[in-house]
Amino acid sequence: MSYSDDPRLTAYVLGELTAEEREDLEIELAADESARRALAEVRQTIGWLRAGIQARTPIQLRPDQERLILSRAEGGTSWLSARTRWAAGLAAAAALVVVTLLGFWTLTGPEPGRETASQTAVTKPVGGSAPPSDSSGTPGAAEKAQSEAEPRDVKKETSASERGPERASGRRNKSRRAAAGHEDPVQDYGKWLNEDVAYIASPEEKAVFLKLKSDTEREEFVEQFWYRRDPNPATVINEFKAEHYRRIAHANQRFGSVKTMPGWMTDRGRIYIIYGPPLQVESHPYGAYSAGLHTRRSRQTGLPPERANGKAGTAAPRMPPLLANGGTASSFPFEIWRYPELPGLGRNAELEFVDPSMNGEYRLSLDPEDKAAIFTVPRAGLTLAEELGMATPKGRTFFFTPGNRESQPISKPKYAGTPGKPEPFREQSAESNTEAYDRIDDNPFVSVKDHPLSTFSIDVDTASYSNIRSFLDGGALPPKDAVRIEEMVNYFRYDYRPPTGEAPFSVNMEAASAPWQPDHRLVRIGIKAREIDLGSRPPANLVFLIDVSGSMQDELKLPLLQSALRLLVDQLGRSDRVSIVVYAGASGLVLPSTPCNEKQRIAYAVDRLQAGGSTNGAAGIDLAYRVAREHFDPDAINRVILATDGDFNVGVTNQGDLIRMIEERARQGVFLTVLGFGMGNYKDSTLEKLADRGNGNYAYIDTFEEAKKVLVEELGGTLVTVAKDVKIQVEFNPAYVTAYRLIGYENRLLADQDFNDDKKDAGEIGAGLTVTALFELVPRGVPIQIPEVDPLKYQAPRQPTASMNPELLTAKLRYKQPDGDTSRLLQSAVVDRNTPFRSASDDFRFAAAVASFGMLLRDSPHKGNASFADVISTAERSIGPDPGGYRWDFVRLVRRAEVLHTGR
Amino acid sequence: MRKHGCDSEWIREALETYGSSLTRYAHSLVGDLDQARDIVQETFLALCNQDPQSVRGHLAEWLFRVCRNRAMDARRRKGRMYDLTEIPNETEGFESLPSKILEKKEAIEQVEKALEELPAHQQEVLLLKFQHDLSYKEIAKVTGLSVTNVGFLIHRGVAGLRRRLQSDALPLGSQVRRVK
């Protein structure tokens, strides 16, 4: 039957099929393209439908009606001993979590999903006054009266007129957010971190947050934080966040007291917030002997003996609860909470809370270690699906453009598949993984006598680092050949002195001992390119060449790319032009060259990109360059920006021809930037070669943060080249150096004679960027084993002549102006002052730490005494100001790698 | 220390959780806001007479069902019944219309209008599903239909909606070739 009539498709999207039906359908989907298309249409329609419906304004009962209902309810009640809970209406695959029915309807207009919880809910102790003017300040923000210690209503927005004035005296008021649509930004980030999310944010997240510098960054972090935990991003409401604030409110209402502390800070509050409502509460407000049947409990397990011993037994007299200090409380109020499972206590866990001070503050009566185990949520920060092993943190792409949430496709749930059903964890099996890296052998030590010169091309690509990050965040160590140490070191910004005079860059050298081999010296050569005032940069003529083949469909690819492009276009202005060319099967011009003040038109074209089909990269590239040449402006930045996962697997893809064409165009002034996306089909070596020959740079974009870094923060560097074909040649002084080793740059080595050969291609430097190279030197007098060349028979050996020269080495740089053809020379020398490593600058030590990390990941034969622990401690001590938090993030990655490494 | 488990507590929670959506549901059935509110009020008053244990686990169903019954009563009095099991004549399916490209924002704005054009029973189940987030089973209980029927209606409704949205869509300004 035609799939368009098949109700299973809708049921599948809504999670209504049984497991069997789902499996059967998935088999059919895998085999049938028309079925998949039909499914995609269903999804899309459902997305619109939901969005359209949620945009409606809410309607409520009248206040008098509510009062009537509540007063009827309060009359004639009977005592209930346990709380009731509501079954879930979610389609999420929740196995561990106690689910509560969440029927939050925040329906106030085009900004759905923004949580209405007053951010100060947590900070107001019970009995406090109404929150300050964090409500948007809309006049007439009505008060909702409530009964004694009512939890703050975190669920709904209501129009101001719906809620009546205060009900009766003695009841606390609560102000409401009356504004439709907009969420208030968090007013106090300190409180947000230390109170609202104190129990659910991981230590790493907290540390990153503290390092953020601007409110914009914090705002985005907050959004991201909640988005990551949203179990069903396809719905408008963030169910996790709503529930979290509900719990806080509940805790404040129930567990706090004016005398001691707000509810959320108490033990019971904490447990409630982290683990949710217990299955059952047994309450003994008058102490042990008011309870009915008593049961003795074992001190070790906290469980009654029949359970501790695994046998059902008769009940024995209950012992009074044990206090943390070992005493017992015979007549203090206590409560027992039961959970189906708790970490540290296992299944059928029971928690005892005692109030020895008789002031309403209950304490958890456990050994301090047990208490700590319960209070630490070890996997805080992981979403439910990640905890179940069904998704990876790597899949947390950052979908937000600040202030422009509508740009995100609602019909694309975070997990491909049924909304709420997480995508199965992708195993990195050897067969399915078609990533391809060129093999790299670490540069060995070479003797200065035989090889006094080291020549290589400058490199500012950073893709290797993002790629490594992607692996580590996904829980795997990267393949050794994916680790290019120079790209890792160059990922970070260093504070080198900028150039003066007319040279496009400055050279800054520093020398100290090598931390992994204290007998050896480490020399860092740092190049800093001229900054460019972005306000006065030349206009840009950009062509986006986008791979829309089927493999780009993954959420880490095309959707992330779309967000990245929107970002870039936001930075451009009316004198810039962009065009979009796609390639997949047939190539097409999706957007002709358009000035960048027509942002809507461009955004629309970007939004409509869809993946499907196979790739014929060559035809697309041809078209893209043609478009770029049509609008070529000698005074502008003319660039093709290729965005792909490197999958050139169909059609005529003679790499040689392709590369020749790219080189030719580069000569004519159209440069190439390559942005790599996604994992699994990621052809690293192809992409690097293309960028190289195209006189451009190459970055791997694995997260929205990375997109921002490449396309916004380093926009100048990405677009504006200040020098091209930059080569470096270092000559070592044999009076001081016996042998040396260039760390990294294995792919970039040049023959010594290439240095002066202007026809030989080399790397580019973009405006404002830094380039760093590290040499490890063996000083004279330190023994080293290197194969030596036999003395020559027909020539006399060269004698060192500069033995009185104190210089350690001289670095020469050749470069061309971006539109020039002849190179210029710059040179600089360094004298070693025997500085110990610990006295070197922060930048030096941090770079060394990164290099060590690279060597560890590659298991390099030259890693010496390097260890993950050393890397971490060195890096932590040399973080410096760290704008953007990238160095801090590096430390996090090293920790991850350490864990993965020891776990092997 | 407060005593917990007081009856008013669960009613209050139910009211907060469902009050608004029930009111909207009733309104979609009877059309008259005041009447809708009265129906919902009656529903909650009826809830007060229930033992919480008896509705535990399926409160939403219960509320929507009771609400619906009352709303249907009101409609019957006005002669505005409709038959849920009626099968529409038009064939509905997801034919791709390759020349119409939908802009997402436009589509969302048109959803209201397109919804209203759907037959009443399709509208109702679509709203129950997508506005009130009830499961197929719950919708079945509320409306008295079989679960299979509900699935059919929802699928048809989604398909019908899409067709209506696509036929309303305006062709767009720039020349674009669809590249697939």
Side-chain angles (χ1 to χ4, degrees), chain A residues 4-6 10 16 41 45 48 56-57 59-60 65 68 74 101 103 105 156 253 406 604 608, chain B residues 2 5 8 16-18 20-21 24 37 41 57 92 94 96 102 104 112 131 136 155 162 172 176:
Chain A
S4 52
D5 288 333
D6 189 342
T10 308
E16 291 277 353
E41 287 175 352
T45 315
W48 294 332
R56 294 170 157 195
T57 49
I59 46 180
Q60 308 278 351
Q65 291 177 307
L68 175 61
E74 275 168 12
L101 236 175
W105 310 114
K156 301 198 290 251
Q253 174 210 340
E406 279 99 87
Y604 170 75
R608 279 186 29 251
Chain B
R2 282 189 83 227
S8 68
E16 282 177 352
T17 309
Y18 292 107
S20 183
S21 43
R24 170 160 286 293
R37 283 180 168 146
Q41 177 174 314
E92 306 190 22
F94 286 94
S96 281
L102 279 172
K104 184 186 67 192
E112 273 300 332
Q131 177 145 48
Y136 280 19
H155 182 79
R162 186 183 180 86
L172 302 144
V176 171

Side-chain angles (χ1 to χ4, degrees), chain A residues 153-302:
Chain A
D153 189 317
V154 303
K155 298 172 237 170
K156 301 198 290 251
E157 307 236 32
T158 60
S159 54
S161 55
E162 293 288 346
R163 296 284 170 182
E166 298 172 62
R167 291 182 182 180
S169 61
R171 291 175 174 178
R172 229 159 23 88
N173 290 338
K174 170 181 91 173
S175 76
R176 273 192 172 280
R177 281 196 28 219
H182 273 297
E183 176 169 18
D184 297 330
V186 173
Q187 293 298 316
D188 185 333
Y189 290 99
K191 285 206 169 109
W192 182 82
L193 185 69
N194 295 319
E195 297 184 9
D196 286 27
V197 299
Y199 299 151
I200 58 170
S202 69
E204 293 158 342
E205 286 174 307
K206 290 179 183 172
V208 169
F209 188 76
L210 286 170
K211 298 261 171 186
L212 298 178
K213 293 295 183 222
S214 72
D215 275 2
T216 319
E217 285 181 316
R218 293 186 189 107
E219 187 57 27
E220 201 169 286
F221 182 95
V222 171
E223 267 204 10
Q224 244 304 302
F225 180 89
W226 292 120
Y227 186 77
R228 258 208 295 282
R229 291 162 170 80
D230 188 350
N232 193 355
T235 60
V236 147
I237 291 155
N238 186 330
E239 289 86 354
F240 177 92
K241 184 177 177 186
E243 170 66 4
H244 180 70
Y245 278 103
R246 184 200 72 77
R247 290 181 187 179
I248 291 175
H250 183 98
N252 282 341
Q253 174 210 340
R254 290 302 184 78
F255 308 133
S257 78
V258 184
K259 277 183 265 175
T260 54
M261 62 179 82
W264 70 272
M265 283 174 87
T266 63
D267 282 359
R268 284 184 301 167
R270 190 168 187 171
I271 294 287
Y272 190 87
I273 289 172
I274 297 176
Y275 297 108
L279 204 50
Q280 191 187 347
V281 173
E282 199 184 297
S283 165
H284 303 280
Y286 305 108
Y289 299 114
S290 75
L293 206 56
H294 303 281
T295 335
R296 186 180 306 126
R297 25 194 77 240
S298 134
R299 175 138 203 209
Q300 244 111 6
T301 64

Side-chain angles (χ1 to χ4, degrees), chain A residues 386-460:
Chain A
E386 287 161 348
E387 284 190 77
L388 295 177
M390 293 172 84
T392 73
K394 171 171 73 77
R396 298 177 190 174
T397 49
F398 289 48
F399 275 156
F400 295 152
T401 307
N404 187 18
R405 190 153 168 173
E406 279 99 87
S407 68
Q408 304 318 316
I410 298 178
S411 58
K412 272 213 198 304
K414 176 173 167 180
Y415 310 116
T418 320
K421 170 186 171 239
E423 181 167 311
F425 181 66
R426 276 172 287 201
E427 285 295 315
Q428 302 263 347
S429 70
E431 308 85 55
S432 65
N433 195 341
T434 49
E435 307 212 2
Y437 302 100
D438 286 337
R439 185 191 158 87
I440 306 176
D441 287 317
D442 294 67
N443 285 336
F445 278 101
V446 265
S447 87
V448 174
K449 189 157 62 77
D450 295 328
H451 298 98
L453 297 173
S454 172
T455 314
F456 56 100
S457 154
I458 282 297
D459 179 316
V460 282

Side-chain angles (χ1 to χ4, degrees), chain A residues 821-838:
Chain A
D821 277 320
T822 33
S823 65
R824 308 183 186 191
L825 180 68
L826 232 157
Q827 72 183 18
S828 181
V830 71
V831 174
D832 192 356
R833 308 216 182 274
N834 267 317
T835 320
F837 183 72
R838 63 175 182 280

